[in-house]
């Protein structure tokens, strides 16, 4: 089991890092192409990515988790994959319509001025039209992991990222598409990933059924209950970005938002690592839970938390020893004000990951063992409620530094709440016994 755990976790983390890398590639090439304005518009669009990924993760990962539990119990799961893809496509329709007809109004709603709207309109349109691919991508990778093929899911994610990095450059510069070229490369990326995952689904080792069944809301809700933690995990980056953007705009203007763009994009990598750890352990935990092996479940949780603590320590070491080097990657204009804002912001914001990683693992664990209530409360608290309240209050008390430190405050509140709910749930079960 330890070998399986190591394989699943390392390959899942590698795949998630691959996904995050193409966002960084976008950021880098866009910063070279259009400087601080490019960083600002990309950061304003990050909440859109967050919402798209969140819905796709809730449907895809939730369905795959439910599939793993039911399959371990010997139940029929032949229709889970097709239902997941169908609901992902249906959920993408409103985004596509916005992208086709009113991308400029969507940007204005996110806080973009006339200049930024002109720069980012076509990029926004391309990303929104490609929403079905982004959402369905989670179904393809999550079912592959839960069907014993984490290697294929990893290779697919990395292949998509490599494609994106290469074609970001080709489309933006040699072809001359500029900002739109970055959007086009990003839109094609999930298609590459899904194509690679199809290798598993066409192989003899595939156990995923493709039986068509009329879309069922009851089925969707059942799956989404176990995908809420993934939903909020992805959505939180968008919520945080929206709240932080408006707060920072009032304190430090567009340059402050650009600095937060650097911090936010680097944090995507950190979140990807912890999400990869949680998603890698989830299939094994769900399988052990479905087979009625509580000792194995506890062992998997222990290993997940130990790895999480080690990664958290390494993350802090890298951030505090390489702060300016990391910022310089995205500061192509060598803007001193941007460097100053981002230097302090990066160090303070990343203190939140001391607790965030543990929360991500715990929330995913409770989803994996079919205890959605604790997972849902923990997810919404860390991803929406606590972070918004802490950001607003601390911004008023300490200005920009208060915003940077709010992630640590919110994650600490969430951790204590999860411990309390878990303790309360355990006492309740003991009382029943």
């Amino acid at each position: 089991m330890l070998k399986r755990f190591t394989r699943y976790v390392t390959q899942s983390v590698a795949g998630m890092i691959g996904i995050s890398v193409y966002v960084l590639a976008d950021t880098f090439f866009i910063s070279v192409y259009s400087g601080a304005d490019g960083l600002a518009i990309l950061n304003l669009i990050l909440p859109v990515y967050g919402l798209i990924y969140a819905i796709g993760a809730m449907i895809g990962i939730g369905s795959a988790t439910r599939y793993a539990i039911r399959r371990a119990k010997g139940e029929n799961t032949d229709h889970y994959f097709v239902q997941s893809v169908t609901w992902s496509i249906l959920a993408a329709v409103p985004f596509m319509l916005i992208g086709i007809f009113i991308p400029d109004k969507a940007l204005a709603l996110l806080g973009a001025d006339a200049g930024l709207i002109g720069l980012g309109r076509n990029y926004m349109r391309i990303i929104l039209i490609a929403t079905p691919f982004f959402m369905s991508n989670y179904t393809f990778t999550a079912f592959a992991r839960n069907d014993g093929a984490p290697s294929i899911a990893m290779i697919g994610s990395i292949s998509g990222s490599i494609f994106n990095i290469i074609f970001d450059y080709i489309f933006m510069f040699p072809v001359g598409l500029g900002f739109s070229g970055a959007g086009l490369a990003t839109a094609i990326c999930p298609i590459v990933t899904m194509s690679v995952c199809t290798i598993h689904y066409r192989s003899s080792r595939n156990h995923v059924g493709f039986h068509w069944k009329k879309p069922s809301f009851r089925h969707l809700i059942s799956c989404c209950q176990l995908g809420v933690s993934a939903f909020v995990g992805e959505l939180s980056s968008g919520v945080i970005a929206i709240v932080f953007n408006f707060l920072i705009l009032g304190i430090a203007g567009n340059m402050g938002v650009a600095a937060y763009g650097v911090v936010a994009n680097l944090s995507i990598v950190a979140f990807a690592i912890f999400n990869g750890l949680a998603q890698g352990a989830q299939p094994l935990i769900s399988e052990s839970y479905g087979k009625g092996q509580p000792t194995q479940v506890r062992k998997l949780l222990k290993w997940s938390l130990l790895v999480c603590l080690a990664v958290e320590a390494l993350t802090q070491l890298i951030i505090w020893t390489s702060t300016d080097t990391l910022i310089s990657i995205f500061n192509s204009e060598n803007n001193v004000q941007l460097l100053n804002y981002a230097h302090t912001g990066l160090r303070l914001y990343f203190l939140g990951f001391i607790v965030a990683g543990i929360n991500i693992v715990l929330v995913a664990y409770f989803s994996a063992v079919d205890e959605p209530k604790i997972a849902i409360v923990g997810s919404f608290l860390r991803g929406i409620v606590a972070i918004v309240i802490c950001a607003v209050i601390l911004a008023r008390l300490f200005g920009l530094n208060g915003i940077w430190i709010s992630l640590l405050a919110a994650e600490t509140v969430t951790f204590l709440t999860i411990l309390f709910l878990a303790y309360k749930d355990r006492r309740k079960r003991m009382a029943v016994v």
Side-chain angles (χ1 to χ4, degrees), residues 271-304:
F271 278 120
I273 293 172
F274 292 117
N275 283 326
L277 168 60
Q279 292 176 23
Q282 173 269 311
L284 301 178
I285 294 174
S286 294
E287 178 185 306
S288 298
Y289 172 77
K291 291 180 177 179
Q293 299 172 335
T295 302
Q296 199 73 273
V297 170
R298 288 192 294 270
K299 188 179 294 185
L300 288 164
L301 175 61
K302 178 183 176 181
W303 291 341
S304 299

PDB file of all heavy atoms in Angstrom, residues 271-304:
ATOM      1  N   PHE A 271      -0.810  25.616  -4.361  1.00  0.00           N
ATOM      2  CA  PHE A 271      -2.126  24.979  -4.248  1.00  0.00           C
ATOM      3  C   PHE A 271      -2.180  23.697  -5.079  1.00  0.00           C
ATOM      4  O   PHE A 271      -2.791  22.698  -4.671  1.00  0.00           O
ATOM      5  CB  PHE A 271      -3.233  25.936  -4.702  1.00  0.00           C
ATOM      6  CG  PHE A 271      -3.671  26.910  -3.657  1.00  0.00           C
ATOM      7  CD1 PHE A 271      -3.551  28.286  -3.860  1.00  0.00           C
ATOM      8  CD2 PHE A 271      -4.204  26.478  -2.456  1.00  0.00           C
ATOM      9  CE1 PHE A 271      -3.961  29.197  -2.892  1.00  0.00           C
ATOM     10  CE2 PHE A 271      -4.626  27.378  -1.476  1.00  0.00           C
ATOM     11  CZ  PHE A 271      -4.498  28.740  -1.697  1.00  0.00           C
ATOM     12  N   ALA A 272      -1.555  23.724  -6.262  1.00  0.00           N
ATOM     13  CA  ALA A 272      -1.561  22.545  -7.132  1.00  0.00           C
ATOM     14  C   ALA A 272      -0.865  21.360  -6.465  1.00  0.00           C
ATOM     15  O   ALA A 272      -1.325  20.216  -6.570  1.00  0.00           O
ATOM     16  CB  ALA A 272      -0.873  22.871  -8.461  1.00  0.00           C
ATOM     17  N   ILE A 273       0.235  21.624  -5.775  1.00  0.00           N
ATOM     18  CA  ILE A 273       0.967  20.547  -5.100  1.00  0.00           C
ATOM     19  C   ILE A 273       0.104  19.910  -4.016  1.00  0.00           C
ATOM     20  O   ILE A 273      -0.013  18.679  -3.933  1.00  0.00           O
ATOM     21  CB  ILE A 273       2.281  21.080  -4.506  1.00  0.00           C
ATOM     22  CG1 ILE A 273       3.237  21.492  -5.635  1.00  0.00           C
ATOM     23  CG2 ILE A 273       2.938  20.025  -3.606  1.00  0.00           C
ATOM     24  CD1 ILE A 273       4.476  22.215  -5.151  1.00  0.00           C
ATOM     25  N   PHE A 274      -0.521  20.731  -3.194  1.00  0.00           N
ATOM     26  CA  PHE A 274      -1.343  20.191  -2.106  1.00  0.00           C
ATOM     27  C   PHE A 274      -2.618  19.535  -2.635  1.00  0.00           C
ATOM     28  O   PHE A 274      -3.045  18.503  -2.114  1.00  0.00           O
ATOM     29  CB  PHE A 274      -1.681  21.301  -1.104  1.00  0.00           C
ATOM     30  CG  PHE A 274      -0.483  21.797  -0.344  1.00  0.00           C
ATOM     31  CD1 PHE A 274      -0.050  23.110  -0.472  1.00  0.00           C
ATOM     32  CD2 PHE A 274       0.240  20.949   0.482  1.00  0.00           C
ATOM     33  CE1 PHE A 274       1.056  23.569   0.214  1.00  0.00           C
ATOM     34  CE2 PHE A 274       1.353  21.398   1.172  1.00  0.00           C
ATOM     35  CZ  PHE A 274       1.767  22.711   1.044  1.00  0.00           C
ATOM     36  N   ASN A 275      -3.206  20.115  -3.673  1.00  0.00           N
ATOM     37  CA  ASN A 275      -4.365  19.480  -4.295  1.00  0.00           C
ATOM     38  C   ASN A 275      -3.980  18.158  -4.939  1.00  0.00           C
ATOM     39  O   ASN A 275      -4.742  17.182  -4.901  1.00  0.00           O
ATOM     40  CB  ASN A 275      -4.997  20.403  -5.342  1.00  0.00           C
ATOM     41  CG  ASN A 275      -5.822  21.513  -4.722  1.00  0.00           C
ATOM     42  OD1 ASN A 275      -6.447  21.327  -3.684  1.00  0.00           O
ATOM     43  ND2 ASN A 275      -5.820  22.678  -5.343  1.00  0.00           N
ATOM     44  N   GLY A 276      -2.786  18.121  -5.536  1.00  0.00           N
ATOM     45  CA  GLY A 276      -2.296  16.874  -6.122  1.00  0.00           C
ATOM     46  C   GLY A 276      -2.098  15.796  -5.071  1.00  0.00           C
ATOM     47  O   GLY A 276      -2.434  14.623  -5.289  1.00  0.00           O
ATOM     48  N   LEU A 277      -1.563  16.175  -3.920  1.00  0.00           N
ATOM     49  CA  LEU A 277      -1.405  15.238  -2.806  1.00  0.00           C
ATOM     50  C   LEU A 277      -2.763  14.696  -2.368  1.00  0.00           C
ATOM     51  O   LEU A 277      -2.944  13.480  -2.198  1.00  0.00           O
ATOM     52  CB  LEU A 277      -0.715  15.947  -1.639  1.00  0.00           C
ATOM     53  CG  LEU A 277      -0.711  15.222  -0.282  1.00  0.00           C
ATOM     54  CD1 LEU A 277      -0.019  13.876  -0.380  1.00  0.00           C
ATOM     55  CD2 LEU A 277      -0.026  16.109   0.772  1.00  0.00           C
ATOM     56  N   ALA A 278      -3.729  15.591  -2.196  1.00  0.00           N
ATOM     57  CA  ALA A 278      -5.063  15.174  -1.740  1.00  0.00           C
ATOM     58  C   ALA A 278      -5.754  14.301  -2.781  1.00  0.00           C
ATOM     59  O   ALA A 278      -6.352  13.270  -2.442  1.00  0.00           O
ATOM     60  CB  ALA A 278      -5.902  16.412  -1.437  1.00  0.00           C
ATOM     61  N   GLN A 279      -5.670  14.690  -4.054  1.00  0.00           N
ATOM     62  CA  GLN A 279      -6.325  13.925  -5.107  1.00  0.00           C
ATOM     63  C   GLN A 279      -5.634  12.598  -5.369  1.00  0.00           C
ATOM     64  O   GLN A 279      -6.265  11.622  -5.784  1.00  0.00           O
ATOM     65  CB  GLN A 279      -6.392  14.758  -6.391  1.00  0.00           C
ATOM     66  CG  GLN A 279      -7.327  15.953  -6.293  1.00  0.00           C
ATOM     67  CD  GLN A 279      -7.315  16.818  -7.534  1.00  0.00           C
ATOM     68  OE1 GLN A 279      -6.970  16.360  -8.620  1.00  0.00           O
ATOM     69  NE2 GLN A 279      -7.694  18.085  -7.395  1.00  0.00           N
ATOM     70  N   GLY A 280      -4.329  12.541  -5.114  1.00  0.00           N
ATOM     71  CA  GLY A 280      -3.606  11.286  -5.283  1.00  0.00           C
ATOM     72  C   GLY A 280      -3.975  10.264  -4.225  1.00  0.00           C
ATOM     73  O   GLY A 280      -4.096   9.061  -4.504  1.00  0.00           O
ATOM     74  N   ALA A 281      -4.166  10.727  -2.992  1.00  0.00           N
ATOM     75  CA  ALA A 281      -4.527   9.821  -1.900  1.00  0.00           C
ATOM     76  C   ALA A 281      -5.997   9.421  -1.948  1.00  0.00           C
ATOM     77  O   ALA A 281      -6.369   8.338  -1.479  1.00  0.00           O
ATOM     78  CB  ALA A 281      -4.214  10.482  -0.561  1.00  0.00           C
ATOM     79  N   GLN A 282      -6.844  10.272  -2.524  1.00  0.00           N
ATOM     80  CA  GLN A 282      -8.293  10.042  -2.511  1.00  0.00           C
ATOM     81  C   GLN A 282      -8.735   8.692  -3.080  1.00  0.00           C
ATOM     82  O   GLN A 282      -9.546   8.002  -2.442  1.00  0.00           O
ATOM     83  CB  GLN A 282      -9.001  11.186  -3.246  1.00  0.00           C
ATOM     84  CG  GLN A 282     -10.496  10.991  -3.449  1.00  0.00           C
ATOM     85  CD  GLN A 282     -10.824  10.302  -4.768  1.00  0.00           C
ATOM     86  OE1 GLN A 282     -10.323  10.711  -5.809  1.00  0.00           O
ATOM     87  NE2 GLN A 282     -11.648   9.263  -4.744  1.00  0.00           N
ATOM     88  N   PRO A 283      -8.250   8.261  -4.259  1.00  0.00           N
ATOM     89  CA  PRO A 283      -8.721   6.965  -4.777  1.00  0.00           C
ATOM     90  C   PRO A 283      -8.418   5.802  -3.828  1.00  0.00           C
ATOM     91  O   PRO A 283      -9.248   4.900  -3.678  1.00  0.00           O
ATOM     92  CB  PRO A 283      -7.945   6.813  -6.096  1.00  0.00           C
ATOM     93  CG  PRO A 283      -7.597   8.203  -6.499  1.00  0.00           C
ATOM     94  CD  PRO A 283      -7.341   8.921  -5.214  1.00  0.00           C
ATOM     95  N   LEU A 284      -7.245   5.820  -3.196  1.00  0.00           N
ATOM     96  CA  LEU A 284      -6.872   4.737  -2.285  1.00  0.00           C
ATOM     97  C   LEU A 284      -7.709   4.779  -1.007  1.00  0.00           C
ATOM     98  O   LEU A 284      -8.119   3.736  -0.483  1.00  0.00           O
ATOM     99  CB  LEU A 284      -5.382   4.843  -1.943  1.00  0.00           C
ATOM    100  CG  LEU A 284      -4.418   4.772  -3.137  1.00  0.00           C
ATOM    101  CD1 LEU A 284      -2.981   4.935  -2.676  1.00  0.00           C
ATOM    102  CD2 LEU A 284      -4.594   3.453  -3.880  1.00  0.00           C
ATOM    103  N   ILE A 285      -7.952   5.994  -0.489  1.00  0.00           N
ATOM    104  CA  ILE A 285      -8.780   6.128   0.713  1.00  0.00           C
ATOM    105  C   ILE A 285     -10.211   5.682   0.422  1.00  0.00           C
ATOM    106  O   ILE A 285     -10.818   4.939   1.203  1.00  0.00           O
ATOM    107  CB  ILE A 285      -8.758   7.584   1.226  1.00  0.00           C
ATOM    108  CG1 ILE A 285      -7.351   7.963   1.711  1.00  0.00           C
ATOM    109  CG2 ILE A 285      -9.762   7.781   2.356  1.00  0.00           C
ATOM    110  CD1 ILE A 285      -7.189   9.419   2.089  1.00  0.00           C
ATOM    111  N   SER A 286     -10.765   6.121  -0.709  1.00  0.00           N
ATOM    112  CA  SER A 286     -12.131   5.732  -1.075  1.00  0.00           C
ATOM    113  C   SER A 286     -12.240   4.223  -1.285  1.00  0.00           C
ATOM    114  O   SER A 286     -13.218   3.594  -0.874  1.00  0.00           O
ATOM    115  CB  SER A 286     -12.568   6.463  -2.348  1.00  0.00           C
ATOM    116  OG  SER A 286     -12.671   7.849  -2.123  1.00  0.00           O
ATOM    117  N   GLU A 287     -11.238   3.634  -1.906  1.00  0.00           N
ATOM    118  CA  GLU A 287     -11.233   2.190  -2.137  1.00  0.00           C
ATOM    119  C   GLU A 287     -11.195   1.424  -0.816  1.00  0.00           C
ATOM    120  O   GLU A 287     -11.969   0.478  -0.613  1.00  0.00           O
ATOM    121  CB  GLU A 287     -10.018   1.807  -2.991  1.00  0.00           C
ATOM    122  CG  GLU A 287      -9.882   0.319  -3.253  1.00  0.00           C
ATOM    123  CD  GLU A 287      -8.591   0.000  -3.992  1.00  0.00           C
ATOM    124  OE1 GLU A 287      -8.354   0.606  -5.058  1.00  0.00           O
ATOM    125  OE2 GLU A 287      -7.820  -0.839  -3.496  1.00  0.00           O
ATOM    126  N   SER A 288     -10.318   1.850   0.093  1.00  0.00           N
ATOM    127  CA  SER A 288     -10.213   1.184   1.400  1.00  0.00           C
ATOM    128  C   SER A 288     -11.490   1.372   2.207  1.00  0.00           C
ATOM    129  O   SER A 288     -11.951   0.450   2.891  1.00  0.00           O
ATOM    130  CB  SER A 288      -9.010   1.742   2.182  1.00  0.00           C
ATOM    131  OG  SER A 288      -7.801   1.477   1.493  1.00  0.00           O
ATOM    132  N   TYR A 289     -12.060   2.566   2.127  1.00  0.00           N
ATOM    133  CA  TYR A 289     -13.314   2.831   2.842  1.00  0.00           C
ATOM    134  C   TYR A 289     -14.442   1.968   2.288  1.00  0.00           C
ATOM    135  O   TYR A 289     -15.226   1.378   3.046  1.00  0.00           O
ATOM    136  CB  TYR A 289     -13.676   4.315   2.713  1.00  0.00           C
ATOM    137  CG  TYR A 289     -15.052   4.654   3.242  1.00  0.00           C
ATOM    138  CD1 TYR A 289     -15.283   4.751   4.610  1.00  0.00           C
ATOM    139  CD2 TYR A 289     -16.120   4.854   2.359  1.00  0.00           C
ATOM    140  CE1 TYR A 289     -16.554   5.060   5.094  1.00  0.00           C
ATOM    141  CE2 TYR A 289     -17.380   5.157   2.836  1.00  0.00           C
ATOM    142  CZ  TYR A 289     -17.601   5.258   4.200  1.00  0.00           C
ATOM    143  OH  TYR A 289     -18.854   5.539   4.671  1.00  0.00           O
ATOM    144  N   GLY A 290     -14.534   1.879   0.961  1.00  0.00           N
ATOM    145  CA  GLY A 290     -15.578   1.072   0.336  1.00  0.00           C
ATOM    146  C   GLY A 290     -15.472  -0.401   0.676  1.00  0.00           C
ATOM    147  O   GLY A 290     -16.472  -1.110   0.753  1.00  0.00           O
ATOM    148  N   LYS A 291     -14.238  -0.878   0.893  1.00  0.00           N
ATOM    149  CA  LYS A 291     -14.021  -2.285   1.236  1.00  0.00           C
ATOM    150  C   LYS A 291     -14.116  -2.545   2.738  1.00  0.00           C
ATOM    151  O   LYS A 291     -13.932  -3.682   3.186  1.00  0.00           O
ATOM    152  CB  LYS A 291     -12.642  -2.736   0.736  1.00  0.00           C
ATOM    153  CG  LYS A 291     -12.537  -2.810  -0.782  1.00  0.00           C
ATOM    154  CD  LYS A 291     -11.144  -3.268  -1.214  1.00  0.00           C
ATOM    155  CE  LYS A 291     -11.067  -3.401  -2.737  1.00  0.00           C
ATOM    156  NZ  LYS A 291      -9.714  -3.821  -3.178  1.00  0.00           N
ATOM    157  N   GLY A 292     -14.375  -1.476   3.527  1.00  0.00           N
ATOM    158  CA  GLY A 292     -14.509  -1.647   4.965  1.00  0.00           C
ATOM    159  C   GLY A 292     -13.189  -1.924   5.665  1.00  0.00           C
ATOM    160  O   GLY A 292     -13.099  -2.834   6.498  1.00  0.00           O
ATOM    161  N   GLN A 293     -12.158  -1.132   5.352  1.00  0.00           N
ATOM    162  CA  GLN A 293     -10.822  -1.306   5.945  1.00  0.00           C
ATOM    163  C   GLN A 293     -10.420  -0.025   6.685  1.00  0.00           C
ATOM    164  O   GLN A 293      -9.590   0.755   6.193  1.00  0.00           O
ATOM    165  CB  GLN A 293      -9.801  -1.625   4.849  1.00  0.00           C
ATOM    166  CG  GLN A 293     -10.107  -2.908   4.081  1.00  0.00           C
ATOM    167  CD  GLN A 293      -9.201  -3.108   2.878  1.00  0.00           C
ATOM    168  OE1 GLN A 293      -8.652  -2.149   2.317  1.00  0.00           O
ATOM    169  NE2 GLN A 293      -9.038  -4.355   2.466  1.00  0.00           N
ATOM    170  N   PRO A 294     -10.964   0.228   7.878  1.00  0.00           N
ATOM    171  CA  PRO A 294     -10.706   1.482   8.604  1.00  0.00           C
ATOM    172  C   PRO A 294      -9.239   1.669   8.992  1.00  0.00           C
ATOM    173  O   PRO A 294      -8.750   2.807   9.013  1.00  0.00           O
ATOM    174  CB  PRO A 294     -11.595   1.372   9.841  1.00  0.00           C
ATOM    175  CG  PRO A 294     -11.846  -0.093  10.012  1.00  0.00           C
ATOM    176  CD  PRO A 294     -11.887  -0.654   8.628  1.00  0.00           C
ATOM    177  N   THR A 295      -8.533   0.590   9.326  1.00  0.00           N
ATOM    178  CA  THR A 295      -7.110   0.703   9.683  1.00  0.00           C
ATOM    179  C   THR A 295      -6.304   1.239   8.509  1.00  0.00           C
ATOM    180  O   THR A 295      -5.434   2.101   8.665  1.00  0.00           O
ATOM    181  CB  THR A 295      -6.551  -0.662  10.124  1.00  0.00           C
ATOM    182  OG1 THR A 295      -7.319  -1.142  11.224  1.00  0.00           O
ATOM    183  CG2 THR A 295      -5.094  -0.537  10.534  1.00  0.00           C
ATOM    184  N   GLN A 296      -6.611   0.726   7.314  1.00  0.00           N
ATOM    185  CA  GLN A 296      -5.924   1.180   6.107  1.00  0.00           C
ATOM    186  C   GLN A 296      -6.240   2.644   5.805  1.00  0.00           C
ATOM    187  O   GLN A 296      -5.368   3.409   5.380  1.00  0.00           O
ATOM    188  CB  GLN A 296      -6.359   0.309   4.930  1.00  0.00           C
ATOM    189  CG  GLN A 296      -5.428   0.346   3.744  1.00  0.00           C
ATOM    190  CD  GLN A 296      -4.136  -0.405   4.010  1.00  0.00           C
ATOM    191  OE1 GLN A 296      -3.188   0.163   4.541  1.00  0.00           O
ATOM    192  NE2 GLN A 296      -4.107  -1.670   3.650  1.00  0.00           N
ATOM    193  N   VAL A 297      -7.478   3.032   6.060  1.00  0.00           N
ATOM    194  CA  VAL A 297      -7.892   4.419   5.836  1.00  0.00           C
ATOM    195  C   VAL A 297      -7.102   5.360   6.732  1.00  0.00           C
ATOM    196  O   VAL A 297      -6.595   6.404   6.285  1.00  0.00           O
ATOM    197  CB  VAL A 297      -9.411   4.581   6.083  1.00  0.00           C
ATOM    198  CG1 VAL A 297      -9.794   6.063   6.099  1.00  0.00           C
ATOM    199  CG2 VAL A 297     -10.210   3.851   5.021  1.00  0.00           C
ATOM    200  N   ARG A 298      -6.995   5.011   8.021  1.00  0.00           N
ATOM    201  CA  ARG A 298      -6.248   5.863   8.964  1.00  0.00           C
ATOM    202  C   ARG A 298      -4.768   5.944   8.596  1.00  0.00           C
ATOM    203  O   ARG A 298      -4.136   6.996   8.737  1.00  0.00           O
ATOM    204  CB  ARG A 298      -6.413   5.325  10.386  1.00  0.00           C
ATOM    205  CG  ARG A 298      -7.800   5.547  10.973  1.00  0.00           C
ATOM    206  CD  ARG A 298      -7.825   5.277  12.460  1.00  0.00           C
ATOM    207  NE  ARG A 298      -7.576   3.871  12.762  1.00  0.00           N
ATOM    208  CZ  ARG A 298      -8.534   2.955  12.851  1.00  0.00           C
ATOM    209  NH1 ARG A 298      -9.804   3.291  12.662  1.00  0.00           N
ATOM    210  NH2 ARG A 298      -8.237   1.701  13.147  1.00  0.00           N
ATOM    211  N   LYS A 299      -4.228   4.836   8.117  1.00  0.00           N
ATOM    212  CA  LYS A 299      -2.819   4.820   7.720  1.00  0.00           C
ATOM    213  C   LYS A 299      -2.578   5.745   6.525  1.00  0.00           C
ATOM    214  O   LYS A 299      -1.590   6.494   6.480  1.00  0.00           O
ATOM    215  CB  LYS A 299      -2.405   3.387   7.375  1.00  0.00           C
ATOM    216  CG  LYS A 299      -0.913   3.207   7.142  1.00  0.00           C
ATOM    217  CD  LYS A 299      -0.579   1.752   6.820  1.00  0.00           C
ATOM    218  CE  LYS A 299      -0.857   0.861   8.017  1.00  0.00           C
ATOM    219  NZ  LYS A 299      -0.422  -0.535   7.733  1.00  0.00           N
ATOM    220  N   LEU A 300      -3.485   5.714   5.575  1.00  0.00           N
ATOM    221  CA  LEU A 300      -3.363   6.584   4.401  1.00  0.00           C
ATOM    222  C   LEU A 300      -3.473   8.053   4.787  1.00  0.00           C
ATOM    223  O   LEU A 300      -2.757   8.900   4.242  1.00  0.00           O
ATOM    224  CB  LEU A 300      -4.443   6.220   3.372  1.00  0.00           C
ATOM    225  CG  LEU A 300      -4.231   4.895   2.637  1.00  0.00           C
ATOM    226  CD1 LEU A 300      -5.511   4.452   1.949  1.00  0.00           C
ATOM    227  CD2 LEU A 300      -3.100   5.011   1.625  1.00  0.00           C
ATOM    228  N   LEU A 301      -4.356   8.370   5.729  1.00  0.00           N
ATOM    229  CA  LEU A 301      -4.480   9.748   6.208  1.00  0.00           C
ATOM    230  C   LEU A 301      -3.189  10.196   6.891  1.00  0.00           C
ATOM    231  O   LEU A 301      -2.714  11.325   6.672  1.00  0.00           O
ATOM    232  CB  LEU A 301      -5.651   9.867   7.178  1.00  0.00           C
ATOM    233  CG  LEU A 301      -5.824  11.241   7.854  1.00  0.00           C
ATOM    234  CD1 LEU A 301      -6.060  12.335   6.826  1.00  0.00           C
ATOM    235  CD2 LEU A 301      -6.966  11.203   8.873  1.00  0.00           C
ATOM    236  N   LYS A 302      -2.617   9.330   7.709  1.00  0.00           N
ATOM    237  CA  LYS A 302      -1.370   9.653   8.397  1.00  0.00           C
ATOM    238  C   LYS A 302      -0.251   9.945   7.412  1.00  0.00           C
ATOM    239  O   LYS A 302       0.475  10.930   7.538  1.00  0.00           O
ATOM    240  CB  LYS A 302      -0.976   8.492   9.322  1.00  0.00           C
ATOM    241  CG  LYS A 302       0.340   8.705  10.065  1.00  0.00           C
ATOM    242  CD  LYS A 302       0.684   7.486  10.900  1.00  0.00           C
ATOM    243  CE  LYS A 302       2.056   7.651  11.575  1.00  0.00           C
ATOM    244  NZ  LYS A 302       2.410   6.445  12.377  1.00  0.00           N
ATOM    245  N   TRP A 303      -0.107   9.087   6.405  1.00  0.00           N
ATOM    246  CA  TRP A 303       0.931   9.312   5.394  1.00  0.00           C
ATOM    247  C   TRP A 303       0.707  10.626   4.659  1.00  0.00           C
ATOM    248  O   TRP A 303       1.658  11.364   4.385  1.00  0.00           O
ATOM    249  CB  TRP A 303       0.930   8.150   4.389  1.00  0.00           C
ATOM    250  CG  TRP A 303       1.413   6.848   4.964  1.00  0.00           C
ATOM    251  CD1 TRP A 303       2.153   6.668   6.098  1.00  0.00           C
ATOM    252  CD2 TRP A 303       1.164   5.542   4.434  1.00  0.00           C
ATOM    253  NE1 TRP A 303       2.383   5.329   6.311  1.00  0.00           N
ATOM    254  CE2 TRP A 303       1.796   4.612   5.298  1.00  0.00           C
ATOM    255  CE3 TRP A 303       0.469   5.059   3.327  1.00  0.00           C
ATOM    256  CZ2 TRP A 303       1.749   3.248   5.080  1.00  0.00           C
ATOM    257  CZ3 TRP A 303       0.432   3.692   3.100  1.00  0.00           C
ATOM    258  CH2 TRP A 303       1.063   2.792   3.954  1.00  0.00           C
ATOM    259  N   SER A 304      -0.551  10.920   4.327  1.00  0.00           N
ATOM    260  CA  SER A 304      -0.869  12.161   3.612  1.00  0.00           C
ATOM    261  C   SER A 304      -0.466  13.391   4.420  1.00  0.00           C
ATOM    262  O   SER A 304       0.116  14.345   3.882  1.00  0.00           O
ATOM    263  CB  SER A 304      -2.366  12.221   3.297  1.00  0.00           C
ATOM    264  OG  SER A 304      -2.757  11.154   2.478  1.00  0.00           O
TER     265      SER A 304
END
